[in-house]
Amino acid sequence: MDNVILLSRHTSNSGILTLHPKLAESMGITQITARKIRFGAKTYQSIVDISDDLPLNGASLSGDILDMLNIPQHCSLEIKQNGNEIQMGPFIGLLAGYYQSSIKKYLDHLRDYVLLYHEIKGAILVFSLDHVDKTNQKVKGFLYNPLTKQWEEGIYPYPSSIFVMTSSVSSAWIQHFKSVIGDTVFNDFFHTRWSIHKKLSNSIGVKCYLPDTNLYGSPQDLYYFLKKFPNLTVKPLNSANRSAIRVFLKDSNSLVITNLKTFETKSYKFYNRDQAYTIFKKYFKDGEYLIQESIDVTGYRTITIRIITLKDHSGQWKAMGLFTRGDQSEENEGKLMPLVKFQKEMVADFLQQSDLYASLTYQELTHIAIDTVKEIESMGVHFANAAVDIIVGELGDIWISEVDHFNPSHEIALVAGYPELYYEILKTNMLYAKRLTGF
């Protein structure tokens, strides 16, 4: 039978949950019994009664329980028995920022995550850290109303799982939430590019796909790295608000430096190491960047692929979509082509492979992406939402260029013209969050 309950308020009694006999039987309840009612992190001791006056799948809660647990009747809630508790949910939290004033701006965007609400169900709450009451374990936020399709402000217990969507969450906050709701807080960490590189470089299955990389400790490191690789990329350890920089040693005393976000390019002359160091200091702070061999260099054709990797409702990693730039034939080299979905036929065309070999290469790319996120996961972190950028060279060489592990935007699917896939990706995020709640 359908596990979505028809929840009503009972005003003539207190401390009682009443179930239709069929619903009670499906939960293994055949007589009046005592159970705790759970919604999110909060419970309430109650008596469970049975009545065939209720509609099929009907459940009636006394007003004191509804009010104490702040259970929203307008949501499509499911019910299950877990030991001596009866849980209503799923109750999913989207931690979207530190200040409520900032998350209000993103409520329209976050509606994308509930477009397929009928496949997710439950209570879905958007909240910020500045409206969390640690003492009473309550949070003021915006709950999705599937009837009006609007976000409505209210106060609720802590959700059963939390999808972290902001970098403003400290480890102390994460530990606080976990101490209350358990290991159901995901994408709850931030690692620098360097810490991820060090982890991957120790992986037998992944390290062979890594470009030569070093930490930028001083201008001297960059100077000698250029001697080895005259075309390289300098990336900030933390990508927030800073762009990667391409550094090209044109000849023994000429540098070309390009901002890879704005494509602003400047040329410099230098005649000794000190002059080169002075140039580098204008762009880079010691210890805040890594230096990486550039794969996509002029004269060597490459194709860059973004692979969206998520955990699904079964808790397994899967590649949800592969995207790249359009027609990257030689006549379009250097042009910024529109985003498209990456197809197996593109492998065959780009590498001049047979259909069989192109299919195997395509599978290898998805396996590399999934092996990469699993390796990061083995660092003891909990995440389920990532994107892996892979570069393929014209000779068939494969390189991991970037791992976007902190709440990457999946609007690339929209831009490429696949709205159905975009919403399926977001639904998959939500179904994993639902899995964590026990539903």
Side-chain angles (χ1 to χ4, degrees):
M1 64 188 299
D2 190 356
N3 59 352
V4 176
I5 58 173
L6 301 171
L7 183 62
S8 60
R9 174 186 285 263
H10 202 295
T11 57
S12 62
N13 55 30
S14 62
I16 294 179
L17 166 66
T18 308
L19 303 174
H20 184 278
K22 289 288 186 183
L23 179 58
E25 184 182 358
S26 72
M27 297 168 59
I29 297 173
T30 57
Q31 59 185 10
I32 296 177
T33 186
R35 289 288 186 273
K36 286 183 178 179
I37 309 300
R38 174 176 291 278
F39 180 63
K42 203 164 188 179
T43 61
Y44 192 96
Q45 187 68 45
S46 74
I47 298 297
V48 181
D49 199 0
I50 300 171
S51 171
D52 54 13
D53 291 336
L54 292 171
L56 193 66
N57 266 31
S60 176
L61 269 173
S62 55
D64 60 329
I65 300 178
L66 278 171
D67 295 338
M68 180 64 68
L69 299 183
N70 301 94
I71 299 175
Q73 290 178 252
H74 56 260
C75 293
S76 299
L77 296 174
E78 300 177 19
I79 191 168
K80 64 178 291 187
Q81 183 170 214
N82 185 16
N84 70 339
E85 291 186 352
I86 290 178
Q87 183 178 356
M88 294 184 182
F91 186 11
I92 300 167
L94 305 180
L95 178 49
Y98 193 90
Y99 296 106
Q100 191 180 80
S101 57
S102 66
I103 70 170
K104 285 181 178 179
K105 304 172 187 175
Y106 299 112
L107 288 176
D108 282 344
H109 167 68
L110 291 172
R111 194 177 281 115
D112 288 353
Y113 284 85
V114 292
L115 186 77
L116 300 177
Y117 175 84
H118 62 284
E119 298 182 51
I120 304 163
K121 305 182 180 68
I124 300 171
L125 181 74
V126 177
F127 70 101
S128 56
L129 290 174
D130 66 334
H131 279 64
V132 174
D133 179 351
K134 283 185 176 181
T135 303
N136 297 303
Q137 296 176 5
K138 290 185 177 182
V139 57
K140 184 178 182 181
F142 300 91
L143 194 80
Y144 182 69
N145 185 331
L147 303 180
T148 63
K149 301 190 186 310
Q150 298 296 320
W151 299 102
E152 298 177 354
E153 193 169 13
I155 298 174
Y156 299 93
Y158 283 2
S160 299
S161 73
I162 297 176
F163 181 2
V164 179
M165 296 179 157
T166 174
S167 59
S168 58
V169 187
S170 67
S171 58
W173 270 110
I174 296 299
Q175 290 308 313
H176 167 70
F177 288 126
K178 286 185 174 181
S179 70
V180 178
I181 66 174
D183 188 23
T184 59
V185 184
F186 70 100
N187 276 50
D188 58 344
F189 69 100
F190 184 81
H191 280 299
T192 68
R193 286 184 167 109
W194 180 241
S195 62
I196 288 176
H197 175 80
K198 287 195 296 182
K199 174 61 179 174
L200 297 181
S201 64
N202 289 319
S203 166
I204 295 174
V206 172
K207 66 180 180 181
C208 57
Y209 301 109
L210 298 176
D212 207 331
T213 304
N214 199 5
L215 184 66
Y216 179 88
S218 68
Q220 184 179 6
D221 295 324
L222 180 53
Y223 184 82
Y224 285 106
F225 210 77
L226 274 171
K227 296 293 185 182
K228 185 177 180 182
F229 301 106
N231 200 325
L232 52 80
T233 305
V234 184
K235 299 178 179 180
L237 297 185
N238 179 349
S239 59
N241 302 320
R242 288 187 289 181
S243 304
I245 303 290
R246 178 66 53 83
V247 181
F248 173 46
L249 185 62
K250 191 174 182 180
D251 55 45
S252 60
N253 60 357
S254 298
L255 284 171
V256 179
I257 296 181
T258 304
N259 184 306
L260 294 180
K261 185 175 183 180
T262 64
F263 292 100
E264 179 185 355
T265 298
K266 289 187 177 181
S267 298
Y268 296 93
K269 287 282 188 181
F270 66 96
Y271 298 98
N272 55 54
R273 281 182 297 180
D274 289 340
Q275 289 179 348
Y277 293 173
T278 300
I279 296 168
F280 299 153
K281 286 177 180 177
K282 291 170 63 176
Y283 287 88
F284 313 116
K285 290 185 178 179
D286 295 357
E288 295 187 10
Y289 291 83
L290 60 76
I291 314 164
Q292 195 167 77
E293 160 195 12
S294 294
I295 307 301
D296 51 338
V297 298
T298 303
Y300 185 66
R301 292 179 59 228
T302 60
I303 185 169
T304 301
I305 304 131
R306 167 153 284 213
I307 304 177
I308 295 172
T309 49
L310 312 174
K311 276 188 178 177
D312 61 16
H313 189 242
S314 67
Q316 300 300 310
W317 284 102
K318 64 188 295 187
M320 288 286 293
L322 289 77
F323 297 91
T324 188
R325 294 285 176 183
D327 186 7
Q328 299 188 34
S329 55
E330 289 187 47
E331 56 265 29
N332 288 321
E333 188 174 358
K335 297 179 183 178
L336 190 63
M337 304 303 291
L339 287 164
V340 297
K341 194 174 182 182
F342 185 70
Q343 310 281 3
K344 294 176 185 177
E345 294 76 17
M346 294 180 178
V347 181
D349 292 342
F350 183 73
L351 296 178
Q352 297 297 298
Q353 291 181 336
S354 67
D355 289 345
L356 175 60
Y357 275 104
S359 180
L360 292 173
T361 301
Y362 186 93
Q363 291 177 30
E364 183 182 5
L365 295 174
T366 60
H367 289 320
I368 292 169
I370 290 173
D371 287 347
T372 299
V373 293
K374 284 182 176 179
E375 197 63 41
I376 296 172
E377 190 174 32
S378 71
M379 298 170 79
V381 298
H382 188 174
F383 80 125
N385 185 39
V388 181
D389 293 341
I390 292 179
I391 296 176
V392 180
E394 63 183 51
L395 298 179
D397 46 315
I398 298 173
W399 304 92
I400 299 168
S401 169
E402 190 75 63
V403 182
D404 191 349
H405 70 282
F406 186 77
N407 197 37
S409 169
H410 300 311
E411 291 184 357
I412 188 172
L414 276 181
V415 176
Y418 291 86
E420 297 87 356
L421 177 58
Y422 169 70
Y423 291 112
E424 187 69 20
I425 288 168
L426 301 192
K427 183 190 80 174
T428 302
N429 280 151
M430 297 301 289
L431 288 179
Y432 178 71
K434 178 177 181 176
R435 169 190 170 83
L436 295 178
T437 69
F439 286 91

